[in-house]
Every structure is written in C-alpha cells, then in structure tokens.
Amino acid sequence: MTSAEAGTLRRLAPPARRFLAHRKGVLVRLALWSLAESGQAFLVGHAVARSVDEGFLAGDPRRGLLWLGIALVAVLSGARVVRGVFAQLAGVTEPLRDGLVRRAVDRSMARAARGGPGGTDRAAVSRLTNQVEIARDSFAGLVLTLRSFVFTAAGALLGLLSLHPALLVVVLPPLAAGLALFLFTLRPMAAAQRRALAADEALGDHAARARAALRDLAACGTGPGAERSGADLVADAAAAARTLAGWAAVRTAALGVAGHLPVLALLVAVERLRGQGVSVGALLGAFTYLVQSLLPALHTLMTALGAAGSRLLVVLDRILGAEQEQEQEQEQEQEQEQVPGPGIASAPAAAFTVDTAAVPALELRAVTLSYGVRAEPVLDALDLCVAPGEHLAVVGPSGIGKSTLTRLVAGTLAPSRGEVRVAGRPVTGRPAAELAALRVLVPQDAYVFSGTVGDNLAYLRTDASRAELDAAVGAFGLGPLVERLGGLNATVRPAELSPGERQLVALVRAYLSPAPLLLLDEATCHLDPASEARAEEALAGRAGTLVVVAHRLSSAVRADRTLVLDGVRAQCGTHAELLGRSPLYRDLTGHWNS
C-alpha cells in the first residue's frame, strides 16, 4: 500500500466508523442473513458427501436421494437469503450516496461563495455524477462480496475439515498462491485508477473552460490551440485507461490461479487421499465445496477488492480527501471583507484618501496564483508596474489568466504567493470601502439595477451634479438611450436593455467614480467597434489609470502599453515593440487583422 493510500485510509477511518455506528441495526440484520448463507454453504457439500457414502455406495438409494433433497432445499433457499441480503444492503449504500452528494455540493457551494483561489469548482460535475455513482456501486459490491466470502468461506472450510483434514492441506496452497498474486496487483492498480480519475477530471475541467470561452476562442483565433490541448487530455485519459486495463489482465491471471488450481490439485491428489482414508463421498463433497461455494466466493471477493475496492478508495479520496486541499487553499488566503458584486462597488469612505502621485498606480510583485495546491499556476511569479495615468491593455488566449489578473488587482481574489498593490497599498484583505476608493472593476456581464437612470449612473459618485451626468452621457454617446428611457429620472428595467446598453451604463458609472484605477474585463465586448473606441477614449481621458482586457486589436493599439500573457512568461511593451519580440502577439494581430 502506498503512503497516499495509507493516508487516505487514516483520513477516512473516523467518518467510516461514525457512518457504520449509526447503522448498527442494519448491520446486525445483514449479519443474520449472512449466517444463513454460511449454513447453506456447509449443508450443500455435507449433504452431497453423506448421500454418496451413506446412501448410494451403501446400497440405500432412498437415503441418498433424501440427502440430495436436503442439498436441493439448501440451494433453493439461497434465493430467499439473497433477497434478504439485498433488502438490508440498500439501508447502507443509499445513505452513503446521499451523504457524498451533500458533501460534494456543500464543498463546491462554499468554494464558489468565498471566491478564493480556485474559484468555481469545475471538477464538481465529475464528483456529483461519475464519482458518486462509482463510490455507491463500489461500496455496495464490497459489502456484498466481503460478507459473502467471510460467511461462505467459513461454512465451506468447516465442511472440508469435517469431511477430512487432509482435504485442507491439498486445497489451501493454490488458493494462497492465487491470492498472493492478486495482492501484488492492488498497489499499481490503485495508482492507475487514481491517474484515470485525475485524467477524467482534467478533461472535464478543460471542456467546461472551453465551453465558457467559445467567443474568446473564436475572437482570438486560439481554437486550434484549445483543440490540441483537448486532444492531449484525451490521449492522457486513454493512456491511463490502457494502463488500468493491463493491470486488470494481471488480476485476471491471479483469479485463474486461485479459481482453477485448487480443483486440479484435488484431482491429482485423489489417489493419495484415498490412501489416507478419504471416502469417495468426502471427495465429491470437497469438489462441491470448491465449485459451488469456496471458489465462486473467492473469485467474487478478488474481483471486488481489485476493482471496486481500489475505485472506492480513490474516489473517496477525490470526494472527501479533497476537502483537506480546500482547507490548505483557505489557509493561503487572508481574511477578506465581502466585496460588492462586479461593477457595483460601495461608495468610498469619506475619511479614506489616496495619494496617487508619488507611487505606481498598480504594482504586482512576483504574483503567483494556482487553482488548487496541486494545480499548475495560472499566473507564475508575475511582475508588473503601471504608472499613474497609464493606459494598459491585457491580451492573451482564452483561459490564460486575464480575468484572474483583474480579480487579483481588484482584491476579490487573493494570490497564492506574492503581493498586489494599488496606489502603493496592498489590496489583499483590505476592507470593502477602501477597495472601492482604490479601484472599479467592470466585468463582461455589466450590472444594472432597478432604479432611475441617474441613480445607476451616479451609484459610485452620489454627489455628481446634473452637469457632470450630462457630460458623461454625451462623452459615451448614451443620449439616445437616456431619451428613449425617459430621461435621467426615468425608471430602468434591466431586462429591457440589451447587453451593449447595460455595458454603456456600467462604463459611465465607472467613468464618474473617483477611484484612481479602472479595470475593464472585456467590458466592451458587446459594443460595436465605433462605440468601443469612443468609450475607451473617454475613459483614457479621465484622470486616473486604465487597465483593459482587450477584446479587439484596436484596444491594444490605443493603449500606451500592452501586457501579453502566453502561459510561459509575460511580456509588456508598446504595440510596435511586441510585434517585434512576441510571436503570440504577432499571431493574435494577424488573426484580428484578417
């Protein structure tokens, strides 16, 4: 057993004991039905031996038929025993499934609610569907087969001993050899199962990311790269499945050794056993015990331990053990106040002021962020310095970390390592009012609330005058929309606005904010190119610093500098400089121009 498996067992042992302790009644009833199965196994072989020795060979066919009738009744009673076993089995397996579903849902909801490193738990889909069902089925198989083997083997071995002790000497060695070969496969097979599940989660995560970023993949021309990544993940999953199948073949060989050698050994030893006084009926009873009880139970047990057991251990480690990973992630985060939703930051506290003249507007110092302690970093030791009043564009393929960067700067996401400073102040752990005074984040899905047009526009600056509101409306070309709605005092119905109109309202709101830093996370993606250019020019002319996650090449051309994220190392420079030294930027430029 590997150290990981041992750690998993230690971690799962306390909750397993608590789970079983609450179901003592079900376990007692299950044991009683299993005792009946043990008696059935003993009776079948014993009745066959007595029917031969005391009946047919003794010249008393009636007595032989009577014993065979007893064996038949024992066999037929097995159906009633199996029915009783399965009735009690549901009382153990279904509560396990329900508990795992609750734990997986609670964990994913808590992770999404706190918004810490890792963000949305995309692997939850695999846990709630594939992995929970694997755990339920594997646990049911283990309970069923372990119980059956223990009680059936006890009845069969007791029957062999009652017939003649020499029978055990012949049967046990090949059984032990097959079992030893089987145990040899457990460790590598569990490792292969773990790799297969990890590959399944990685493929599901990639599919979720690609589905959410189809527009970006098309806009940036990175669809082929995402397709290659998906193909690599499919190949990894196939390789893991092939490795698992190879060890399954070795396990099958072990089953063959344990399932066939005992019968062959008994056949070879017939003459010697007869010389030791073993009767014909005892030999026939021994074959009956092997073929009807012991070997089928052993075969089922080895199958369950080799497949269901390793699957159950690995899946429970992914579902329950991953909570330890979540706790480690939480330890990496600093306590933060709840930040208002995207684009609707609270009004800044009057007593909090920011001096932006003497320090960089934005500074990242060796910032690293990973979505999980074992995941590859999305941003790795990123350094960045943005001067006050500078206009910076951020470009890169979908999923490379552009939105992650804006969340780090906004203070809604804590880095795994490093420090983020806005106006010289660390943003991690800062109260919401202070964050609102430092920056405004406008996301792709702009927020408009039910209220007047003026209230929506002046939400981040409640003391804005009518003249300032009119000037901002004119600067962004929002006049026709305001007139259509009925003026600044008219009520807004968010559902009646198009995505582009909602973005314009959010951009004007950010424009009026006194915060020195504006963050646009593709906040103009629903605007036409002319409206986008007009909005960015207005925001760039505002006193303060502007960081734009670019949706079109024009955003990068208009910016003072552009930051290119390519997953290897970030490069920052002007449009002309990046065309000369960044192959990715040249590719993106070529795609945008075409």
Side-chain angles (χ1 to χ4, degrees), residues 359-445:
V359 296
L362 169 61
E363 188 175 11
L364 275 68
R365 301 177 178 177
V367 169
T368 297
L369 184 127
S370 299
Y371 286 140
V373 294
R374 293 192 294 265
E376 291 294 325
V378 178
L379 299 175
D380 191 4
L382 177 61
D383 292 310
L384 178 66
C385 185
V386 181
E390 188 175 5
H391 178 185
L392 178 75
V394 182
V395 301
S398 177
I400 203 66
K402 303 187 297 294
S403 295
T404 298
L405 177 62
T406 59
R407 291 180 61 196
L408 287 168
V409 174
T412 62
L413 185 63
S416 304
R417 292 187 299 275
E419 185 178 41
V420 180
R421 288 177 171 266
V422 173
R425 299 173 181 268
V427 298
T428 303
R430 189 164 295 280
E434 294 185 12
L435 283 174
L438 289 171
R439 90 292 177 265
V440 172
L441 171 62
V442 185
Q444 177 180 338
D445 297 320

Side-chain angles (χ1 to χ4, degrees), residues 227-585:
E227 183 179 354
R228 287 191 298 271
S229 298
D232 291 340
L233 290 173
V234 170
D236 291 342
R242 285 192 295 271
T243 302
L244 188 61
W247 283 109
V250 177
R251 190 201 66 210
T252 301
L255 294 176
V257 172
H260 299 291
L261 283 186
V263 176
L264 294 176
L266 194 57
L267 287 172
V268 171
V270 165
E271 185 176 353
R272 180 169 58 86
L273 292 172
R274 288 288 291 152
Q276 295 178 0
V278 179
S279 66
V280 175
L283 286 171
L284 189 56
F287 280 112
T288 303
Y289 280 128
L290 284 176
V291 175
Q292 295 295 325
S293 300
L294 188 57
L295 294 183
L298 180 63
H299 184 280
T300 305
L301 173 69
M302 293 172 69
T303 302
L305 286 179
S310 60
R311 283 201 306 267
L312 179 63
L313 190 63
V314 172
V315 169
L316 288 180
D317 186 36
R318 305 297 293 184
I319 296 176
L320 301 179
E323 293 181 359
Q324 184 179 19
E325 176 182 331
Q326 180 181 351
E327 292 174 0
Q328 292 172 348
E329 293 172 4
Q330 288 176 315
E331 290 175 0
Q332 293 178 352
E333 298 180 41
Q334 300 184 19
E335 290 295 331
Q336 311 180 45
E337 292 290 332
Q338 196 65 270
V339 180
I344 57 167
S346 303
F352 181 75
T353 59
V354 179
D355 181 10
T356 61
V359 296
L362 169 61
E363 188 175 11
L364 275 68
R365 301 177 178 177
V367 169
T368 297
L369 184 127
S370 299
Y371 286 140
V373 294
R374 293 192 294 265
E376 291 294 325
V378 178
L379 299 175
D380 191 4
L382 177 61
D383 292 310
L384 178 66
C385 185
V386 181
E390 188 175 5
H391 178 185
L392 178 75
V394 182
V395 301
S398 177
I400 203 66
K402 303 187 297 294
S403 295
T404 298
L405 177 62
T406 59
R407 291 180 61 196
L408 287 168
V409 174
T412 62
L413 185 63
S416 304
R417 292 187 299 275
E419 185 178 41
V420 180
R421 288 177 171 266
V422 173
R425 299 173 181 268
V427 298
T428 303
R430 189 164 295 280
E434 294 185 12
L435 283 174
L438 289 171
R439 90 292 177 265
V440 172
L441 171 62
V442 185
Q444 177 180 338
D445 297 320
Y447 178 78
V448 176
F449 57 87
S450 296
T452 67
V453 177
D455 289 341
N456 268 280
L457 299 180
Y459 182 74
L460 300 179
R461 186 181 170 191
T462 55
D463 61 347
S465 66
R466 178 60 182 264
E468 290 172 324
L469 290 175
D470 290 338
V473 168
F476 285 81
L478 202 62
L481 174 62
V482 173
E483 291 179 7
R484 192 191 82 203
L485 295 175
L488 293 176
N489 294 324
T491 300
V492 176
R493 294 179 178 83
E496 297 178 358
L497 300 183
S498 69
E501 290 170 340
R502 289 197 292 270
Q503 283 189 334
L504 282 174
V505 171
L507 290 171
V508 173
R509 179 192 300 151
Y511 175 82
L512 291 169
S513 166
L517 174 63
L518 296 187
L519 304 168
L520 307 186
D521 186 6
E522 299 200 29
T524 60
C525 64
H526 296 299
L527 303 181
D528 59 78
S531 298
E532 179 185 57
R534 183 173 187 173
E536 286 189 9
E537 288 172 2
L539 292 169
R542 169 188 178 275
T545 305
L546 178 64
V547 176
V548 179
V549 173
H551 177 62
R552 298 181 177 93
L553 173 64
S554 53
S555 295
V557 174
R558 284 190 293 265
D560 299 323
R561 289 191 300 158
T562 298
L563 174 67
V564 181
L565 300 178
D566 62 2
V568 180
R569 64 184 183 89
Q571 297 190 62
C572 194
T574 65
H575 174 68
E577 291 171 345
L578 291 173
L579 284 176
R581 68 171 189 253
S582 174
L584 173 61
Y585 189 73

Side-chain angles (χ1 to χ4, degrees), residues 63-287:
R63 189 176 184 86
L65 291 174
L66 176 62
W67 279 109
L68 287 181
I70 294 173
L72 179 62
V73 171
V75 171
L76 294 177
S77 67
R80 182 70 182 91
V81 172
V82 170
R83 179 181 177 184
V85 166
F86 272 91
Q88 301 305 318
L89 187 64
V92 179
T93 57
E94 295 309 309
L96 174 72
R97 178 187 181 278
D98 295 342
L100 291 178
V101 169
R102 284 195 298 270
R103 295 287 288 272
V105 171
D106 290 345
R107 172 188 167 217
S108 298
M109 294 295 291
R111 189 173 190 177
R114 81 175 194 275
T120 303
D121 186 10
R122 294 179 176 87
V125 176
S126 177
R127 294 192 185 100
L128 285 172
T129 55
N130 186 34
Q131 295 186 28
V132 166
E133 291 305 315
I134 288 176
R136 193 265 305 269
D137 294 343
S138 300
F139 181 70
L142 279 179
V143 172
L144 188 64
T145 54
L146 282 172
R147 172 210 57 82
S148 177
F149 176 76
V150 170
F151 288 93
T152 300
L157 292 176
L158 184 60
L160 286 171
L161 182 63
S162 67
L163 294 177
H164 200 287
L167 295 172
L168 289 178
V169 177
V170 174
V171 168
L172 285 181
L175 284 175
L179 185 60
L181 180 59
F182 162 75
L183 292 176
F184 173 76
T185 67
L186 288 181
R187 178 174 176 176
M189 195 164 185
Q193 185 72 52
R194 184 176 288 105
R195 287 194 297 271
L197 283 175
D200 178 62
E201 285 189 2
L203 185 59
D205 181 75
H206 174 78
R209 290 176 181 272
R211 183 175 62 252
L214 289 177
R215 181 182 55 79
D216 288 347
L217 293 175
C220 296
T222 53
E227 183 179 354
R228 287 191 298 271
S229 298
D232 291 340
L233 290 173
V234 170
D236 291 342
R242 285 192 295 271
T243 302
L244 188 61
W247 283 109
V250 177
R251 190 201 66 210
T252 301
L255 294 176
V257 172
H260 299 291
L261 283 186
V263 176
L264 294 176
L266 194 57
L267 287 172
V268 171
V270 165
E271 185 176 353
R272 180 169 58 86
L273 292 172
R274 288 288 291 152
Q276 295 178 0
V278 179
S279 66
V280 175
L283 286 171
L284 189 56
F287 280 112

